[in-house]
Amino acid sequence: QVRLVESGGGLVQAGGSLRLSCAASRTIFSINAMGWYRQAPGKQRELVAITTNGGSTNYADSVKGRFTISRDNDKDAVYLQMNSLKPEDTAVYYCMAKTNGVSSRTYWGQGTQVTVSS
């Protein structure tokens, strides 16, 4: 079926920036929200940022003011601009898309590694 594919991860020094991208392998209909989660070593997966169809956004407190989520609805794509990166941002970042309706589905990417050195 549909795959979400992330890109843009890598190794950066503290204070640096990265831009993550996520796109569907083919059209996903009736998307309600898209977002980014991350999972650091030894920790549970947590929400980083999410955006809904109406354009509202929510961010984890730890990334507010540093990360910006954006969408291209026509392309079923979502982006995460990460600035002022900190070592504690090191994690695998996962893209998510959720559809509407009684047959609602949640799609996940396979993750992209972000490593921030001290």
Side-chain angles (χ1 to χ4, degrees):
Q1 288 279 55
V2 177
R3 291 180 60 219
L4 297 178
V5 182
E6 304 101 334
S7 63
L11 173 64
V12 298
Q13 291 184 309
S17 297
L18 286 172
R19 185 172 187 261
L20 305 183
S21 299
C22 172
S25 60
R26 67 187 188 97
T27 300
I28 299 176
F29 296 101
S30 302
I31 290 177
N32 181 56
M34 298 189 76
W36 291 92
Y37 290 70
R38 68 185 181 188
Q39 187 167 19
K43 296 186 177 181
Q44 292 184 306
R45 189 174 299 187
E46 64 178 357
L47 175 68
V48 177
I50 191 166
T51 181
T52 64
N53 287 356
S56 64
T57 57
N58 286 292
Y59 296 90
D61 288 341
S62 60
V63 307
K64 287 181 179 177
R66 300 188 297 119
F67 291 10
T68 302
I69 188 170
S70 60
R71 283 181 65 180
D72 186 335
N73 292 340
D74 293 335
K75 297 181 178 180
D76 291 338
V78 64
Y79 309 92
L80 186 68
Q81 179 66 45
M82 305 185 295
N83 299 325
S84 302
L85 284 162
K86 304 175 180 179
E88 48 263 47
D89 295 318
T90 295
V92 177
Y93 284 70
Y94 297 90
C95 176
M96 181 277 295
K98 187 175 182 179
T99 60
N100 289 326
V102 295
S103 59
S104 178
R105 296 181 178 89
T106 301
Y107 299 89
W108 292 95
Q110 292 188 337
T112 184
Q113 177 71 48
V114 172
T115 302
V116 184
S117 62
S118 300

PDB file of all heavy atoms in Angstrom, residues 16-34:
ATOM      1  N   GLY A  16      23.390  23.729  15.014  1.00  0.00           N
ATOM      2  CA  GLY A  16      23.158  23.623  13.593  1.00  0.00           C
ATOM      3  C   GLY A  16      21.702  23.399  13.250  1.00  0.00           C
ATOM      4  O   GLY A  16      20.832  23.366  14.119  1.00  0.00           O
ATOM      5  N   SER A  17      21.439  23.214  11.952  1.00  0.00           N
ATOM      6  CA  SER A  17      20.076  23.066  11.451  1.00  0.00           C
ATOM      7  C   SER A  17      19.970  21.886  10.502  1.00  0.00           C
ATOM      8  O   SER A  17      20.938  21.509   9.825  1.00  0.00           O
ATOM      9  CB  SER A  17      19.632  24.331  10.715  1.00  0.00           C
ATOM     10  OG  SER A  17      19.597  25.458  11.570  1.00  0.00           O
ATOM     11  N   LEU A  18      18.784  21.310  10.454  1.00  0.00           N
ATOM     12  CA  LEU A  18      18.429  20.292   9.491  1.00  0.00           C
ATOM     13  C   LEU A  18      16.988  20.514   9.064  1.00  0.00           C
ATOM     14  O   LEU A  18      16.183  21.054   9.826  1.00  0.00           O
ATOM     15  CB  LEU A  18      18.563  18.879  10.064  1.00  0.00           C
ATOM     16  CG  LEU A  18      19.954  18.299  10.257  1.00  0.00           C
ATOM     17  CD1 LEU A  18      19.853  16.976  11.017  1.00  0.00           C
ATOM     18  CD2 LEU A  18      20.652  18.089   8.927  1.00  0.00           C
ATOM     19  N   ARG A  19      16.660  20.080   7.863  1.00  0.00           N
ATOM     20  CA  ARG A  19      15.282  20.119   7.377  1.00  0.00           C
ATOM     21  C   ARG A  19      14.874  18.716   6.959  1.00  0.00           C
ATOM     22  O   ARG A  19      15.460  18.147   6.034  1.00  0.00           O
ATOM     23  CB  ARG A  19      15.124  21.082   6.205  1.00  0.00           C
ATOM     24  CG  ARG A  19      13.673  21.262   5.735  1.00  0.00           C
ATOM     25  CD  ARG A  19      13.566  22.370   4.697  1.00  0.00           C
ATOM     26  NE  ARG A  19      12.192  22.685   4.346  1.00  0.00           N
ATOM     27  CZ  ARG A  19      11.572  22.219   3.261  1.00  0.00           C
ATOM     28  NH1 ARG A  19      12.198  21.407   2.420  1.00  0.00           N
ATOM     29  NH2 ARG A  19      10.310  22.574   3.012  1.00  0.00           N
ATOM     30  N   LEU A  20      13.894  18.172   7.650  1.00  0.00           N
ATOM     31  CA  LEU A  20      13.378  16.853   7.342  1.00  0.00           C
ATOM     32  C   LEU A  20      12.211  16.961   6.371  1.00  0.00           C
ATOM     33  O   LEU A  20      11.398  17.885   6.457  1.00  0.00           O
ATOM     34  CB  LEU A  20      12.911  16.137   8.607  1.00  0.00           C
ATOM     35  CG  LEU A  20      13.924  15.995   9.742  1.00  0.00           C
ATOM     36  CD1 LEU A  20      13.308  15.189  10.879  1.00  0.00           C
ATOM     37  CD2 LEU A  20      15.213  15.356   9.251  1.00  0.00           C
ATOM     38  N   SER A  21      12.126  16.000   5.464  1.00  0.00           N
ATOM     39  CA  SER A  21      11.042  15.946   4.499  1.00  0.00           C
ATOM     40  C   SER A  21      10.380  14.580   4.553  1.00  0.00           C
ATOM     41  O   SER A  21      11.023  13.572   4.835  1.00  0.00           O
ATOM     42  CB  SER A  21      11.558  16.199   3.079  1.00  0.00           C
ATOM     43  OG  SER A  21      12.143  17.473   2.964  1.00  0.00           O
ATOM     44  N   CYS A  22       9.088  14.556   4.264  1.00  0.00           N
ATOM     45  CA  CYS A  22       8.331  13.314   4.220  1.00  0.00           C
ATOM     46  C   CYS A  22       7.319  13.416   3.100  1.00  0.00           C
ATOM     47  O   CYS A  22       6.597  14.413   2.995  1.00  0.00           O
ATOM     48  CB  CYS A  22       7.624  13.063   5.551  1.00  0.00           C
ATOM     49  SG  CYS A  22       6.464  11.674   5.533  1.00  0.00           S
ATOM     50  N   ALA A  23       7.249  12.384   2.271  1.00  0.00           N
ATOM     51  CA  ALA A  23       6.295  12.359   1.174  1.00  0.00           C
ATOM     52  C   ALA A  23       5.730  10.959   1.009  1.00  0.00           C
ATOM     53  O   ALA A  23       6.423   9.966   1.238  1.00  0.00           O
ATOM     54  CB  ALA A  23       6.956  12.813  -0.124  1.00  0.00           C
ATOM     55  N   ALA A  24       4.480  10.890   0.604  1.00  0.00           N
ATOM     56  CA  ALA A  24       3.825   9.617   0.363  1.00  0.00           C
ATOM     57  C   ALA A  24       4.243   9.047  -0.984  1.00  0.00           C
ATOM     58  O   ALA A  24       4.467   9.786  -1.942  1.00  0.00           O
ATOM     59  CB  ALA A  24       2.314   9.776   0.403  1.00  0.00           C
ATOM     60  N   SER A  25       4.356   7.729  -1.035  1.00  0.00           N
ATOM     61  CA  SER A  25       4.721   7.073  -2.282  1.00  0.00           C
ATOM     62  C   SER A  25       3.638   7.210  -3.339  1.00  0.00           C
ATOM     63  O   SER A  25       3.933   7.146  -4.536  1.00  0.00           O
ATOM     64  CB  SER A  25       5.027   5.595  -2.028  1.00  0.00           C
ATOM     65  OG  SER A  25       3.903   4.929  -1.485  1.00  0.00           O
ATOM     66  N   ARG A  26       2.416   7.363  -2.915  1.00  0.00           N
ATOM     67  CA  ARG A  26       1.314   7.703  -3.789  1.00  0.00           C
ATOM     68  C   ARG A  26       0.263   8.450  -2.974  1.00  0.00           C
ATOM     69  O   ARG A  26       0.365   8.522  -1.754  1.00  0.00           O
ATOM     70  CB  ARG A  26       0.718   6.476  -4.480  1.00  0.00           C
ATOM     71  CG  ARG A  26       0.020   5.493  -3.561  1.00  0.00           C
ATOM     72  CD  ARG A  26      -0.381   4.249  -4.333  1.00  0.00           C
ATOM     73  NE  ARG A  26      -1.224   3.364  -3.546  1.00  0.00           N
ATOM     74  CZ  ARG A  26      -2.541   3.340  -3.608  1.00  0.00           C
ATOM     75  NH1 ARG A  26      -3.178   4.169  -4.416  1.00  0.00           N
ATOM     76  NH2 ARG A  26      -3.222   2.487  -2.850  1.00  0.00           N
ATOM     77  N   THR A  27      -0.736   8.980  -3.636  1.00  0.00           N
ATOM     78  CA  THR A  27      -1.721   9.843  -2.992  1.00  0.00           C
ATOM     79  C   THR A  27      -2.405   9.160  -1.817  1.00  0.00           C
ATOM     80  O   THR A  27      -2.845   8.020  -1.913  1.00  0.00           O
ATOM     81  CB  THR A  27      -2.779  10.303  -3.993  1.00  0.00           C
ATOM     82  OG1 THR A  27      -2.153  11.021  -5.056  1.00  0.00           O
ATOM     83  CG2 THR A  27      -3.805  11.199  -3.315  1.00  0.00           C
ATOM     84  N   ILE A  28      -2.470   9.878  -0.708  1.00  0.00           N
ATOM     85  CA  ILE A  28      -3.253   9.468   0.448  1.00  0.00           C
ATOM     86  C   ILE A  28      -4.486  10.367   0.506  1.00  0.00           C
ATOM     87  O   ILE A  28      -4.366  11.590   0.593  1.00  0.00           O
ATOM     88  CB  ILE A  28      -2.460   9.584   1.754  1.00  0.00           C
ATOM     89  CG1 ILE A  28      -1.227   8.687   1.714  1.00  0.00           C
ATOM     90  CG2 ILE A  28      -3.342   9.236   2.945  1.00  0.00           C
ATOM     91  CD1 ILE A  28      -0.330   8.826   2.929  1.00  0.00           C
ATOM     92  N   PHE A  29      -5.665   9.762   0.454  1.00  0.00           N
ATOM     93  CA  PHE A  29      -6.898  10.536   0.449  1.00  0.00           C
ATOM     94  C   PHE A  29      -7.384  10.814   1.862  1.00  0.00           C
ATOM     95  O   PHE A  29      -7.187  10.026   2.776  1.00  0.00           O
ATOM     96  CB  PHE A  29      -7.982   9.795  -0.343  1.00  0.00           C
ATOM     97  CG  PHE A  29      -7.672   9.635  -1.796  1.00  0.00           C
ATOM     98  CD1 PHE A  29      -7.192   8.438  -2.296  1.00  0.00           C
ATOM     99  CD2 PHE A  29      -7.860  10.690  -2.673  1.00  0.00           C
ATOM    100  CE1 PHE A  29      -6.900   8.279  -3.629  1.00  0.00           C
ATOM    101  CE2 PHE A  29      -7.569  10.549  -4.027  1.00  0.00           C
ATOM    102  CZ  PHE A  29      -7.089   9.347  -4.504  1.00  0.00           C
ATOM    103  N   SER A  30      -8.031  11.952   2.020  1.00  0.00           N
ATOM    104  CA  SER A  30      -8.710  12.335   3.259  1.00  0.00           C
ATOM    105  C   SER A  30      -7.767  12.448   4.445  1.00  0.00           C
ATOM    106  O   SER A  30      -8.099  12.039   5.559  1.00  0.00           O
ATOM    107  CB  SER A  30      -9.837  11.343   3.578  1.00  0.00           C
ATOM    108  OG  SER A  30     -10.774  11.284   2.522  1.00  0.00           O
ATOM    109  N   ILE A  31      -6.601  13.020   4.233  1.00  0.00           N
ATOM    110  CA  ILE A  31      -5.667  13.229   5.335  1.00  0.00           C
ATOM    111  C   ILE A  31      -6.236  14.270   6.293  1.00  0.00           C
ATOM    112  O   ILE A  31      -6.667  15.341   5.879  1.00  0.00           O
ATOM    113  CB  ILE A  31      -4.295  13.674   4.825  1.00  0.00           C
ATOM    114  CG1 ILE A  31      -3.590  12.523   4.110  1.00  0.00           C
ATOM    115  CG2 ILE A  31      -3.429  14.169   5.980  1.00  0.00           C
ATOM    116  CD1 ILE A  31      -2.252  12.904   3.519  1.00  0.00           C
ATOM    117  N   ASN A  32      -6.219  13.952   7.574  1.00  0.00           N
ATOM    118  CA  ASN A  32      -6.665  14.862   8.614  1.00  0.00           C
ATOM    119  C   ASN A  32      -5.503  15.596   9.277  1.00  0.00           C
ATOM    120  O   ASN A  32      -5.632  16.759   9.649  1.00  0.00           O
ATOM    121  CB  ASN A  32      -7.463  14.110   9.677  1.00  0.00           C
ATOM    122  CG  ASN A  32      -7.974  15.022  10.770  1.00  0.00           C
ATOM    123  OD1 ASN A  32      -8.676  15.999  10.491  1.00  0.00           O
ATOM    124  ND2 ASN A  32      -7.631  14.712  12.009  1.00  0.00           N
ATOM    125  N   ALA A  33      -4.380  14.904   9.417  1.00  0.00           N
ATOM    126  CA  ALA A  33      -3.244  15.500  10.089  1.00  0.00           C
ATOM    127  C   ALA A  33      -1.959  14.815   9.649  1.00  0.00           C
ATOM    128  O   ALA A  33      -1.958  13.636   9.287  1.00  0.00           O
ATOM    129  CB  ALA A  33      -3.389  15.401  11.605  1.00  0.00           C
ATOM    130  N   MET A  34      -0.880  15.561   9.694  1.00  0.00           N
ATOM    131  CA  MET A  34       0.443  15.009   9.471  1.00  0.00           C
ATOM    132  C   MET A  34       1.370  15.551  10.545  1.00  0.00           C
ATOM    133  O   MET A  34       1.176  16.669  11.036  1.00  0.00           O
ATOM    134  CB  MET A  34       0.990  15.358   8.087  1.00  0.00           C
ATOM    135  CG  MET A  34       0.162  14.808   6.938  1.00  0.00           C
ATOM    136  SD  MET A  34       0.959  14.998   5.310  1.00  0.00           S
ATOM    137  CE  MET A  34       2.200  13.691   5.411  1.00  0.00           C
TER     138      MET A  34
END
